[in-house]
Each structure stands twice: as structure tokens, then as C-alpha cells.
């Protein structure tokens, strides 16, 4: 077993509560949780600021959007962060919209089985897998 040494730090009460909740959800001791956080942090620093994906069970989606739409999204994220007190990230926002749209589409398929499968594909983008109007 590796040698260990105690590390103490005074932190903001709100941060402490977040850490405690996350630690409990992970089912770890404080020592295990903080050790994992610090290891992840230093691995990310060594990796040029990019988090490593331990299970690689993820895929990347990338696309370009119009500057005006980007600014609207940025304004929305700032407004929601101020309103809720929780920093809403671009990733959280976009994934939430995708999940919401998929949930709605799946609900519609369940309500009217057979209709969705018989409709012709609406995919007419210039590139394979590109949705209509995704210029």
C-alpha cells in the first residue's frame, strides 16, 4: 500500500455540500472521493486540459452554427445560470434538447405504432447523416 499523508483545507460551505452529495452518490469515503478528483485533475492537466473518457462509451458530435444563433445560445445560458444559480453548460443545454426531442418522438411512436416506420425519410442534407438545413 502506498504511503499516505493528511491534506486539510478550509472550503466554502456550498462547495463542501456539493462534494458531500457527490461523494455519497459515488458511495466513496471522503478520502477516496478527493483522491479520485485530484488524480482526474492532474491527468487532465497532463492531457492538455482534456478529460479522458475511462470507458470510451461515448461518441462526439460536432457541427457549426450561425454566429447569431451561437450568441442567442450564449445569452440563454447566461440567463439560465443567473436564474437558477447553476452554471448551465453548452453541453448540458444541447444534450437536454436532444433528449427532449427524442423522448417526444418516441412517445409519438408509442401512441401511433406503425406510422413512423412507414413515412419516407426526410434526410436530404448534402453530407451523409446531415439533417435538412444543417448548413
Amino acid at each position: 500500500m502506498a504511503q499516505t499523508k493528511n491534506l486539510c483545507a478550509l472550503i466554502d460551505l456550498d462547495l463542501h455540500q456539493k462534494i458531500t452529495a457527490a461523494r455519497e452518490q459515488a458511495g466513496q469515503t471522503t478520502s477516496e472521493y478527493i483522491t479520485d478528483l485530484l488524480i482526474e485533475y492532474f491527468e487532465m492537466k497532463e492531457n492538455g486540459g482534456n478529460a479522458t473518457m475511462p470507458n470510451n462509451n461515448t461518441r462526439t458530435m460536432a457541427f457549426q452554427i450561425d454566429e447569431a444563433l451561437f450568441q442567442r445560445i450564449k445569452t440563454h445560458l447566461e440567463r439560465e445560470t443567473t436564474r437558477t444559480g447553476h452554471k448551465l453548460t453548452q453541453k448540458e443545454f444541447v444534450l437536454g434538447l436532444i433528449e427532449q426531442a427524442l423522448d417526444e418522438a418516441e412517445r409519438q411512436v408509442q401512441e401511433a405504432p406503425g406510422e413512423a416506420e412507414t413515412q419516407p425519410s426526410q434526410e436530404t442534407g448534402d453530407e451523409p447523416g446531415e439533417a435538412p438545413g444543417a448548413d
Side-chain angles (χ1 to χ4, degrees):
M1 182 173 178
Q3 289 185 347
T4 60
K5 185 160 181 150
N6 192 21
L7 175 66
C8 295
L10 291 175
I11 59 173
D12 181 79
L13 184 57
D14 288 338
L15 179 57
H16 185 277
Q17 290 171 342
K18 288 179 185 177
I19 291 170
T20 300
R23 175 193 60 77
E24 289 172 355
Q25 185 177 12
Q28 294 179 304
T29 66
T30 301
S31 180
E32 292 168 336
Y33 187 74
I34 297 298
T35 298
D36 286 351
L37 282 178
L38 292 171
I39 289 169
E40 183 180 336
Y41 170 77
F42 283 108
E43 285 175 353
M44 187 172 66
K45 269 187 88 164
E46 291 168 4
N47 193 25
N50 299 317
T52 56
M53 301 284 181
N55 66 5
N56 265 350
N57 195 18
T58 61
R59 299 290 300 262
T60 298
M61 289 182 66
F63 51 91
Q64 294 182 337
I65 61 173
D66 180 80
E67 177 67 24
L69 178 58
F70 180 80
Q71 292 304 322
R72 286 178 61 199
I73 293 169
K74 187 174 173 182
T75 299
H76 173 74
L77 296 175
E78 290 170 358
R79 186 173 46 241
E80 284 300 296
T81 296
T82 301
R83 185 180 71 81
T84 64
H86 165 74
K87 181 170 175 41
L88 180 62
T89 66
Q90 289 178 25
K91 179 180 176 180
E92 289 171 326
F93 177 64
V94 172
L95 288 178
L97 292 175
I98 291 170
E99 289 176 355
Q100 182 181 2
L102 289 174
D103 288 346
E104 175 63 20
E106 290 164 359
R107 184 189 59 75
Q108 289 177 0
V109 167
Q110 288 176 352
E111 288 177 357
E115 285 183 30
E117 293 90 9
T118 60
Q119 301 221 353
S121 171
Q122 297 295 315
E123 197 170 341
T124 58
D126 295 335
E127 296 180 25
E130 185 176 84
D135 299 305

